[in-house]
Amino acid sequence: MKSPVSDLAPSDGEEGSDRTPLLQRAPRAETGDLPNPGIKPVSAVSPELAAPVCCSARYNLAFLSFFGFFVLYSLRVNLSVALVDMVDSNTTAKDNRTSYECAEHSAPIKVLHNQTGKKYRWDAETQGWILGSFFYGYIITQIPGGYVASRSGGKLLLGFGIFATAIFTLFTPLAADFGVGALVALRALEGLGEGVTYPAMHAMWSSWAPPLERSKLLSISYAGAQLGTVVSLPLSGVICYYMNWTYVFYFFGIVGIIWFILWICLVSDTPETHKTITPYEKEYILSSLKNQLSSQKSVPWIPMLKSLPLWAIVVAHFSYNWTFYTLLTLLPTYMKEVLRFNIQENGFLSAVPYLGCWLCMILSGQAADNLRARWNFSTLWVRRVFSVIGMIGPAIFLVAAGFIGCDYSLAVAFLTISTTLGGFCSSGFSINHLDIAPSYAGILLGITNTFATIPGMIGPIIARSLTPEKTFKKGEEQRSQGHRQ
């Protein structure tokens, strides 16, 4: 198979260099093109000489960060399920069901739903503000988090970010009792804590991930977010059903504190400061990155803002997150209000799409690095193809899901396929920051994630305003009545 490589290949001495448009001062840097886009970037150490994977420090970091992002998303999404049980349905559910509203499920329930949790009279608009308030804090700490991580390391920043979020989560029931304002403020504070996590992790990987292992290591690391969603959605539903919604926040808050202790004790910012890394693995990582990192101390803010590759990532990140965040926050509500599943079924079915996405992220990471290392495909080609699959595929099936009515099986299937295909983006634009400027990967992610947080802020509000009746659009009813006449 002929790989899409450029005919203008640099010498071997240039292959591992950080020839990025963000750092170069030559005129060609202003074109915005990736440096030598057709060339497969290789590390100074060939894949055959790579340090073993088993018990390695870099893969231990990947798995600990995997569980960190597992906790991170558990803390983020548990409110999406708990809110279904927190709200007094008689307050907001207007009796406006048309002949096109889905029939309620009649499956026998052997155990009665625990109803001891306090109920609140929050309308649909208020719920939208509660769900979106997290992102008002989240957007503030993106760029500062990336900057601090690039200067001081990401270990403590990421650790304390999740720790703070866990502590705030424990106070969620108390804040809800104080009122909507207190709960919105608390969720915004949680967002402040979580906002530093992705930039901090990207900054750490700039010192830990050999170029030809980036897709594997980062896909493992960030796949924890998807598995956290997979586990927390149904588990939150079970806790709400058999206990009450307050225990959702107590449980996940305590898990976050336990993870923080393990993270502080077992992780180091760089291979040089790691206490148990083998000399061979340390030399392998450092030699593979020796030409990747810049010695420039000041941050090249102006070249960053002029970089077309960076703005391409911004557009891709924003577009992907609009779908992702809207589904993440409103899928449990859709399962209850439209498909009319109970709280227990709701949690499990809402998690199914993210299980597919988790598997896709792991497999696509392996595939991406194999295409680059074994089949000599260029990094640019791999990132583009995986991004296209991860954007176009979900769009097709998500649009299709809007036309299937009350077919429960097809609804869950289309949403699952849509979210699963989105996992390809984890080896596409999501890690492209490390390709174009490893030294500033945390800052770059902070910039792109700042824009990509906007959909989380306004997506749930817009979605709820477009569906005030929680049923199918009136146009379908009118067309049907026309046919009957």
Side-chain angles (χ1 to χ4, degrees):
M1 176 184 292
K2 187 179 187 298
S3 62
V5 296
S6 171
D7 294 331
L8 302 175
S11 63
D12 291 341
E14 295 176 338
E15 288 177 327
S17 65
D18 187 9
R19 297 180 59 192
T20 164
L22 301 184
L23 303 181
Q24 290 180 316
R25 298 183 185 275
R28 68 182 291 273
E30 296 180 1
T31 63
D33 294 328
L34 283 172
N36 302 308
I39 303 305
K40 173 180 74 71
V42 298
S43 62
V45 181
S46 65
E48 290 76 11
L49 300 178
V53 170
C54 182
C55 301
S56 65
R58 65 192 189 281
Y59 275 88
N60 287 342
L61 174 62
F63 286 113
L64 269 172
S65 59
F66 171 91
F67 286 110
F69 284 98
F70 176 99
V71 172
L72 189 78
Y73 263 69
S74 297
L75 296 171
R76 182 184 299 192
V77 306
N78 53 23
L79 182 63
S80 297
V81 175
L83 190 64
V84 174
D85 212 36
M86 293 168 70
V87 175
D88 183 356
S89 58
N90 292 326
T91 303
T92 59
K94 299 177 182 179
D95 191 14
N96 52 18
R97 298 178 182 127
T98 71
S99 58
Y100 288 86
E101 187 174 16
C102 304
E104 192 161 6
H105 295 269
S106 58
I109 301 175
K110 297 180 180 180
V111 181
L112 293 177
H113 180 184
N114 187 301
Q115 299 284 355
T116 58
K118 188 174 180 180
K119 302 291 184 180
Y120 302 96
R121 301 175 68 83
W122 297 332
D123 59 24
E125 184 179 356
T126 300
Q127 293 174 53
W129 282 106
I130 291 172
L131 290 172
S133 60
F134 170 92
F135 298 99
Y136 289 91
Y138 190 71
I139 196 172
I140 294 174
T141 50
Q142 294 292 324
I143 296 176
Y147 180 80
V148 171
S150 69
R151 289 288 181 261
S152 307
K155 171 188 172 179
L156 293 179
L157 192 62
L158 190 152
F160 279 104
I162 296 180
F163 177 74
T165 305
I167 295 297
F168 289 134
T169 298
L170 292 174
F171 287 97
T172 301
L174 182 63
D177 273 342
F178 274 105
V180 173
L183 183 57
V184 166
L186 186 74
R187 288 292 291 178
L189 288 174
E190 290 183 28
L192 285 173
E194 287 201 17
V196 303
T197 53
Y198 275 93
M201 193 72 252
H202 250 46
M204 288 187 71
W205 280 126
S206 69
S207 299
W208 275 99
L212 290 181
E213 294 185 17
R214 279 178 185 155
S215 300
K216 295 177 184 176
L217 290 169
L218 271 75
S219 64
I220 291 173
S221 179
Y222 296 138
Q226 308 304 322
L227 190 62
T229 305
V230 169
V231 173
S232 64
L233 287 177
L235 185 56
S236 297
V238 169
I239 293 173
C240 287
Y241 195 85
Y242 291 102
M243 301 171 73
N244 71 57
W245 60 263
T246 60
Y247 291 98
V248 170
F249 303 104
Y250 298 146
F251 175 80
F252 287 111
I254 292 172
V255 171
I257 294 172
I258 294 172
W259 172 86
F260 169 75
I261 296 171
L262 294 175
W263 177 259
I264 293 298
C265 294
L266 300 176
V267 167
S268 297
D269 277 310
T270 64
E272 295 97 323
T273 59
H274 198 282
K275 296 179 180 179
T276 61
I277 189 173
T278 65
Y280 183 77
E281 184 185 9
K282 182 191 295 185
E283 178 60 26
Y284 164 64
I285 295 173
L286 295 179
S287 62
S288 69
L289 294 174
K290 66 180 180 180
N291 294 322
Q292 292 277 315
L293 301 178
S294 172
S295 58
Q296 183 177 341
K297 293 185 178 180
S298 61
V299 178
W301 294 106
I302 300 301
M304 282 183 181
L305 297 177
K306 291 181 178 180
S307 171
L308 290 181
L310 176 62
W311 288 106
I313 299 173
V314 167
V315 173
H317 206 163
F318 179 93
S319 303
Y320 176 80
N321 273 14
W322 188 285
T323 298
F324 181 79
Y325 282 144
T326 300
L327 283 181
L328 191 68
T329 53
L330 295 181
L331 188 55
T333 301
Y334 168 73
M335 291 290 183
K336 177 189 178 184
E337 302 291 350
V338 178
L339 299 185
R340 304 182 70 188
F341 291 103
N342 65 44
I343 187 70
Q344 188 178 15
E345 297 169 320
N346 190 331
F348 281 100
L349 291 174
S350 296
V352 170
Y354 300 100
L355 177 61
C357 187
W358 172 68
L359 291 172
C360 184
M361 288 180 68
I362 298 294
L363 296 177
S364 65
Q366 301 294 317
D369 277 348
N370 281 331
L371 287 171
R372 297 165 64 225
R374 306 296 180 187
W375 294 86
N376 294 321
F377 281 87
S378 70
T379 299
L380 180 63
W381 186 90
V382 171
R383 301 293 183 239
R384 280 178 173 173
V385 170
F386 279 58
S387 294
V388 167
I389 296 173
M391 302 284 278
I392 302 299
I396 292 172
F397 284 96
L398 194 60
V399 170
F403 293 92
I404 58 176
C406 292
D407 190 323
Y408 309 112
S409 299
L410 271 182
V412 174
F414 282 6
L415 290 172
T416 298
I417 295 172
S418 174
T419 308
T420 297
L421 291 176
F424 278 95
C425 286
S426 67
S427 295
F429 74 85
S430 292
I431 61 174
N432 204 209
H433 316 75
L434 282 162
D435 297 323
I436 64 174
S439 299
Y440 307 104
I443 297 175
L444 296 184
L445 181 63
I447 293 172
T448 66
N449 214 16
T450 296
F451 288 95
T453 300
I454 295 173
M457 298 165 63
I458 63 177
I461 297 172
I462 292 177
R464 286 185 178 276
S465 66
L466 292 174
T467 56
E469 308 298 328
K470 301 186 182 71
T471 185
F472 299 113
K473 59 185 180 180
K474 295 180 179 179
E476 292 182 0
E477 181 185 4
Q478 292 169 354
R479 285 195 298 270
S480 178
Q481 289 176 348
H483 289 311
R484 286 197 296 268
Q485 292 173 357

